[in-house]
Amino acid sequence: MTEHEPQTSLLDAQGVSKKFGAVVALRDASLTIQKGQIVALMGANGAGKSTFVKVLTGALRPDTGHVRIKGEERRVGSPAEARRSGLLPVYQEPSLIPDLSVADNLRLADTPVDDFRHWVAELGIEGLRLDDMIGALPLATLRILDLARALAAKPDVLLLDEMTAALPTDLVDKVLRTVRAQADKGQSVIYISHRFAEIAQICDRATVLRDGETVGDLPIAPGVEEQVVELMLGTVLDKAPTRDAATGHGGKGEAHVRVRHLAAGSKLEDVSLDLHRGEVLGVVALEGQGQDELFEALAGMIKPTAGQIAIDDVPVSFSHPADAIAAGLTYVPGDRADGLLMSRSVHENIALPQLARISKWGAIRMKAEADKVAAAIDRLQIDTRAMGEVQRLSGGNQQKVTIGRWIAAGVDTLLLFDPTRGIDVRTKRQIYLLVRELAAQGASVLYYTSELAEVPAACDRAVVIFNGKVVDVIEAADADEPTLMRAAYGLTRAEGEPA
Amino acid sequence: MTAETQVREPLTLKRVGRFVADNPLIPLVVLLLLLVGVLEFMRPGIVNERWIGNTIKFAIPLAMLAACQTMTMLTGGIDLSAAVAATISAFVMATQVPIVGVPLAICIGLLPAILMGLVNGFGVAVCRVHPLIMTLGTGLIATGCLQVYQRFVIASGSVVPDGLAWLGTGRTWGLPNSLLLFVPMAVLIIWAQRRTGFGRLLYALGSNETASRISGVRPWQVFLALYALSGLIAGVTGLLYVGLIKAPSLSLVNPLLLPSVAAAVIGGTSIFGGRGGYGGTILGALILTVLGTLLTLLQMPEGARRILFGLIILTVTTIYIRLTEQSR
Ligand SMILES: Nc1ncnc2c1ncn2[C@@H]1O[C@H](COP(=O)(O)OP(=O)(O)OP(=O)(O)O)[C@@H](O)[C@H]1O
Ligand SMILES: [Mg+2]
């Protein structure tokens, strides 16, 4: 870009830096966006993307840096000021207040209600009532409400921080379409995601951050993915390891966990499935088809209303998660806010399950514990620069802690609900490898994912749930995205037969 | 204009903030020394071995009662019945001594405190009553029971055993004997809160109960044990305190209740749970005790003294929280 460039950019940030104590979150971050553009902000977990968004929208004050909005030098001192300048964020963590109703939350931010409703409907959420309490809504809905609220304020620049990470395919699709349509109407969007397919679908350019520094800015074109990944990681990522067919036990022999005609909550109606030892069984479903209830029932969080669960042919019933854990079923919840001790250290979070039982209330064997924790941190490449309090970790690193906990504890049956939410490419591969490895050692894994491309990468088979029932079982090897997508929309085989 | 100019000036403050956030006990020590300094300045020569011994002697029961608050506050709770439990233990013990003798009287005295703790624990853990309401309720009920009890024992009188008086008021080599009880207890609590499963679970429950449940913790077990333990510590505090005051009454320990909460808060324990520890509480109790002496020395009317006391506590706590909070 030359100095005489006629078009001034809508937003131009240069040389932004931000430290938290000893942690350098941003070193030298820059970003420019023109009217009507969608710019992807990319970077590994902990690269500083969320911090950058918070700085740009006045939630954090930078240590250094210039921000120009429509060519004018500005200091964005507070979120309200950012809003007046036309900058609206959707942060990585849901930001509506849980103890208030939807309507009260809208009132707090002066959001026009009619516009809000319009966007909620447009984005595919049905049956939302304005007097619903935020705390009672599922995570995916909250994300959509955050977006609808931002859109209703008619921003010039929309900053979306991992908006789609917790969303199932159908909603992702709607979000992408809406965002692209808005950009075509002249709105600008800064878009953060770890899913390259989404970036390729809607973005014009990608700005890449590495260790808090902008290391590249390139147009999105076919084949750019490798380049971006290389910039992000600073090294070339090896080819995705091809699945070793031999590790798949593919549902042979006796079932380890047998579920029959399970019903729970209002959504889960009739699910039967067999989970074998050494198997990774995927679960594929659109938003709200009963998958949440399935996992919660298996984890002892809610009581099934009908049906049976048997482990090694012994019927079980859980009245508390501790019962499920005693039976070998461990649960990684989809919403990490439900899984983490935010004000405690990474160490204490990872060690927690090992202290749960009364017999472990006594003295802790510190050395053994430290070793286990270190192994989990190492295995998942958790960024430990801010490990004193989990809430200071980046989103992806928090997610790793929820998984790391059960690796340290050792698992028999692992219930993973969207475990790679917000995790970068490299660590995703680590997690697939880890899951495969656990399976190879004889563990069983039930793996719900909102990202269909994960099914062939991590699973042996996948059950498809639609309307609270299993409608299909697919061999992971045959599971390309279109097939899975059709199945998820309930467009295949007859219902009812056990997986 | 770059942002550089505007950050220069708060930088040192930020540094201090970070240092304090990493070592939360240091500003408390500094404050304590500062108060002692002021005291010495106002009354040169007052700070001597005798005064130090006395301060410690009076800070110990407060710190012990504040242990109940600290531990319950770590889980997001509180124990407003602790002072009543302590009073009951002291009163029942002293009135039982003439009837059953010292050892048995001590055991009988501790029973109602533990019982109160178990009831609190049951209410909080199983019935899910908020700890504030639950412990306030048991405190009131227990006070009533104590008054009824008093009518039955009014004839037999009360005796404070020599052993407790020795522990409460005596000194050895200039140091209060109550340290013999307090030091092991404090060491045990500080060790337990970091290095035992039970201690960790207090923090875990205070930080996120759902997450703890998912990890297999059964919160009721922890709450029941916690409040029972709090009752026991309160009971022991009562026995020590009556040894110090030597006159059992129906409201013996009650004036220490709010200071015990204040000691925990000043010491950096969050009333919302999940943060803090007993080390800070001990310093908090010492600070409050020294502050009390200081205000007595200023010859002010009682009302003004209390106002000043309250103001100082508010100011200190606000500044402290500001400093230890991660700077934005
Ligand atoms: N309040 C804070 N205190 C201390 N460190 C912090 C704080 N907030 C963020 N950090 C650190 O700053 C770095 C960048 O975090 P940031 O959340 O911006 O990463 P990110 O690129 O959004 O990562 P992710 O993809 O995982 O969401 C991390 O190392 C994080 O630990
Ligand atoms: Mg982030």
Side-chain angles (χ1 to χ4, degrees), chain A residues 377-416:
Chain A
I377 288 177
D378 188 51
R379 187 66 215 253
L380 290 168
Q381 300 164 337
I382 299 174
D383 174 356
T384 51
R385 284 178 297 167
M387 67 190 293
E389 276 185 29
V390 161
Q391 62 195 350
R392 295 186 195 154
L393 295 184
S394 77
N397 283 298
Q398 291 179 2
Q399 187 68 24
K400 294 182 206 169
V401 174
T402 60
I403 305 172
R405 177 183 285 171
W406 295 110
I407 293 169
V411 287
D412 179 46
T413 305
L414 196 54
L415 309 169
L416 295 172

Side-chain angles (χ1 to χ4, degrees), chain A residues 43-51 53-54 91-93 161-162 192 194 336 393-397 422:
Chain A
N45 292 135
K49 304 177 297 296
S50 300
T51 308
V53 167
K54 285 183 191 157
Y91 292 126
Q92 190 169 6
E93 305 303 327
D161 192 353
E162 295 193 22
I192 299 178
H194 289 291
R336 54 180 164 259
L393 295 184
S394 77
N397 283 298

Side-chain angles (χ1 to χ4, degrees), chain B residues 213-327:
Chain B
R213 278 165 44 89
I214 292 177
S215 300
V217 180
R218 295 179 194 265
W220 70 266
Q221 298 173 335
V222 182
F223 286 131
L224 196 65
L226 167 66
Y227 282 89
L229 181 65
S230 178
L232 174 65
I233 293 178
V236 173
T237 309
L239 299 186
L240 180 73
Y241 198 62
V242 78
L244 177 65
I245 303 290
K246 296 204 189 103
S249 77
L250 291 185
S251 61
L252 180 73
V253 193
N254 296 11
L256 290 191
L257 177 62
L258 293 182
S260 75
V261 177
V265 173
I266 289 179
T269 299
S270 160
I271 55 166
F272 302 111
R275 281 171 215 265
Y278 192 51
T281 303
I282 297 174
L283 287 169
L286 281 168
I287 288 172
L288 284 180
T289 312
V290 174
L291 198 59
T293 327
L294 195 67
L295 291 178
T296 327
L297 280 186
L298 296 172
Q299 300 194 328
M300 274 199 233
E302 173 71 11
R305 211 163 64 207
R306 289 199 176 190
I307 292 174
L308 200 60
F309 192 70
L311 281 178
I312 292 176
I313 288 176
L314 280 179
T315 319
V316 166
T317 318
T318 316
I319 295 176
Y320 185 56
I321 288 172
R322 272 288 162 85
L323 280 178
T324 47
E325 210 173 54
Q326 181 73 11
S327 44

